[in-house]
């Protein structure tokens, strides 16, 4: 018998609710996956854990046992009622009823960090906003040690790919810039109710203490990468020509030549260092 399946069904019935698909609600019912997620995240009593989308609290319950403090951010009011009842006796639990994309995470972390402790993010993410959430967590340069999240497998492949690899996209370069990455566990649709139509994977991003390339203008670097991947079938020169970043097509060719890169090269073949070198040679203000 699967206890988590029974427990999840019981809670849904007790509160007379069902999963809201448009909020990406797929509830975890696989104990082994939860165990691996917590082990992978290396949760300890020194940690402040930020959980995004706690739902009915299945992962939250385990986090509360292992962590110093858990702050859970949930958009759905119906879940807030359930979580408040379920964890009323836990003094290390705080709940925020808000869209995670609108939360001031920097402030939240600095107000709640455990002295000499670390901050980690652990979540089974709502798949419809995986990318904006991951980008927010990385770009805001939060005082966070690692991000351990369940995402759609296809997205995981892109996030943990090395720049220039077969699965790489613009986001691959961003993730690589800010973090090192690892696969924790692959997860089948049967591990959730309702079952999602895709396979999932738990990945861990460990934030780098130092970025891996020398760069003068970070914003420009990511703008160039974005343009290079917007039209990935084109050569890099043609993809960048209309970006407005360079004075002319000839200038792009000149920069590539200077870096010993072929002017027929496609954006997906370049390393992060290549993009950093191109960015550092941009002259247009
Ligand atoms: N953690 C639970 C579990 O593993 O069973 C639920 C995970 S479910 C995949 C995603 C959760 O994210 C849902 O509870 C959903 O309501 C919540 N959610 C969706 N959009 C959100 C947002 N913008 N901000 C915060 N939570 C959100």
């Amino acid at each position: 018998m699967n206890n988590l399946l029974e427990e999840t069904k019981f809670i849904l019935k007790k509160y007379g609710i069902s999963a809201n698909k448009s909020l990406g609600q797929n509830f975890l019912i696989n104990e082994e996956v939860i165990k691996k997620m917590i082990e992978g995240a290396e949760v300890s009593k020194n940690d402040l854990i930020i959980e995004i989308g706690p739902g009915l609290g299945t992962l939250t319950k385990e986090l509360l046992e292992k962590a110093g403090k858990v702050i859970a951010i949930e958009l759905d009011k119906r879940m807030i009622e359930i979580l408040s009842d379920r964890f009323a006796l836990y003094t290390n639990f705080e709940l925020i009823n808000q869209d995670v994309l609108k939360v001031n995470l920097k402030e939240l972390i600095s107000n709640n960090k455990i002295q000499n402790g670390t901050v980690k993010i652990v979540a089974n993410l709502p798949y419809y906003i995986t990318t904006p959430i991951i980008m927010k967590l990385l770009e805001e340069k939060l005082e966070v040690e690692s991000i351990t999240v369940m995402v759609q497998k296809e997205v995981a492949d892109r996030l943990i790919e090395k720049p220039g690899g077969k699965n790489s996209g613009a986001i691959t370069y961003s993730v690589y810039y800010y973090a090192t990455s690892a696969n924790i566990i692959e997860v089948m649709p049967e591990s959730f109710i309702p079952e999602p139509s895709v396979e999932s994977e738990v990945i861990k991003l460990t934030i780098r203490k130092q970025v891996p390339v020398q760069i003068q203008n970070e914003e420009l670097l990511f703008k160039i990468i974005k343009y290079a991947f917007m039209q990935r079938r084109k050569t890099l020169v043609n993809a960048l020509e209309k970006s407005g970043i360079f004075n002319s097509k000839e200038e792009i060719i000149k920069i590539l030549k200077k870096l010993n890169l072929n002017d027929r090269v496609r954006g997906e073949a370049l390393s992060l260092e290549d993009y950093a070198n191109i960015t550092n040679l941009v002259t247009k203000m």
Side-chain angles (χ1 to χ4, degrees):
M1 194 180 77
N2 181 336
N3 287 337
L4 283 183
L5 173 63
E6 295 307 317
E7 189 176 80
T8 304
K9 281 185 177 167
F10 175 81
I11 298 175
L12 291 172
K13 196 166 170 211
K14 179 175 167 196
Y15 287 86
I17 61 168
S18 54
N20 180 339
K21 275 201 175 161
S22 63
L23 284 179
Q25 289 178 353
N26 301 94
F27 303 114
L28 252 174
I29 52 161
N30 185 327
E31 274 169 29
E32 187 59 22
V33 171
I34 293 175
K35 192 170 148 245
K36 286 265 162 57
M37 257 183 112
I38 295 202
E39 276 171 14
E42 298 177 270
V43 178
S44 83
K45 286 286 170 198
N46 273 334
D47 292 331
L48 163 65
I49 301 290
I50 312 241
E51 189 193 2
I52 298 161
L56 303 172
T58 312
L59 178 60
T60 321
K61 184 163 166 262
E62 300 306 316
L63 288 170
L64 281 166
E65 300 298 337
K66 301 271 178 350
K69 179 169 183 177
V70 177
I71 301 182
I73 304 168
E74 172 61 59
L75 182 61
D76 188 349
K77 271 210 168 60
R78 305 173 309 162
M79 303 297 149
I80 299 295
E81 187 196 349
I82 297 169
L83 294 161
S84 307
D85 287 353
R86 192 166 179 189
F87 303 125
L89 297 180
Y90 283 80
T91 52
N92 60 341
F93 180 55
E94 197 180 314
L95 193 51
I96 297 176
N97 183 198
Q98 217 180 322
D99 175 351
V100 65
L101 295 176
K102 296 191 180 138
V103 175
N104 182 339
L105 291 173
K106 210 160 226 172
E107 197 177 280
L108 185 74
I109 288 170
S110 83
N111 291 342
N112 289 282
K113 197 169 174 264
I114 296 169
Q115 217 181 6
N116 298 321
T118 48
V119 184
K120 292 170 182 157
I121 295 178
V122 183
N124 172 13
L125 289 179
Y127 293 172
Y128 75 105
I129 42 167
T130 302
T131 304
I133 294 177
I134 301 254
M135 290 320 295
K136 176 181 167 82
L137 299 177
L138 295 172
E139 285 177 351
E140 291 190 358
K141 299 190 167 72
L142 305 168
E143 214 187 309
V144 156
E145 190 182 90
S146 62
I147 302 168
T148 304
V149 281
M150 172 100 65
V151 298
Q152 192 175 324
K153 179 159 188 334
E154 209 177 295
V155 176
D157 289 344
R158 206 164 274 254
L159 296 177
I160 67 174
E161 179 64 283
K162 297 279 169 290
K166 73 172 173 29
N167 293 312
S168 59
I171 198 170
T172 309
Y173 291 78
S174 301
V175 171
Y176 185 83
Y177 181 80
Y178 291 110
T180 57
S181 59
N183 161 302
I184 303 290
I185 184 174
E186 292 186 8
V187 184
M188 291 296 124
E190 304 79 61
S191 294
F192 306 86
I193 54 161
E195 288 185 17
S197 51
V198 292
E199 289 179 12
S200 303
E201 189 166 316
V202 178
I203 58 165
K204 180 175 184 179
L205 308 179
T206 304
I207 306 299
R208 293 182 191 272
K209 300 220 174 347
Q210 243 184 339
V211 294
V213 287
Q214 295 263 357
I215 184 80
Q216 286 139 22
N217 186 338
E218 217 173 72
E219 203 182 314
L220 188 59
L221 167 69
F222 290 117
K223 197 169 164 193
I224 290 176
I225 294 173
K226 192 182 95 187
Y227 272 99
F229 277 86
M230 243 163 25
Q231 304 180 45
R232 60 190 299 166
R233 283 207 184 88
K234 288 192 174 181
T235 63
L236 182 66
V237 173
N238 287 337
L240 292 181
E241 191 191 351
K242 301 231 158 55
S243 66
I245 297 167
F246 301 88
N247 292 308
S248 63
K249 190 171 176 172
E250 288 64 42
E251 190 194 39
I252 308 173
I253 296 172
K254 220 161 120 191
I255 290 176
L256 294 186
K257 224 174 222 143
K258 199 164 178 181
L259 298 171
N260 287 326
L261 293 167
N262 189 309
D263 61 13
R264 304 284 314 151
V265 76
R266 284 174 203 273
E268 64 205 40
L270 264 55
S271 67
L272 178 65
E273 202 176 357
D274 290 330
Y275 278 110
N277 290 336
I278 293 172
T279 309
N280 290 339
L281 289 172
V282 171
T283 56
K284 194 173 167 184
M285 286 298 140

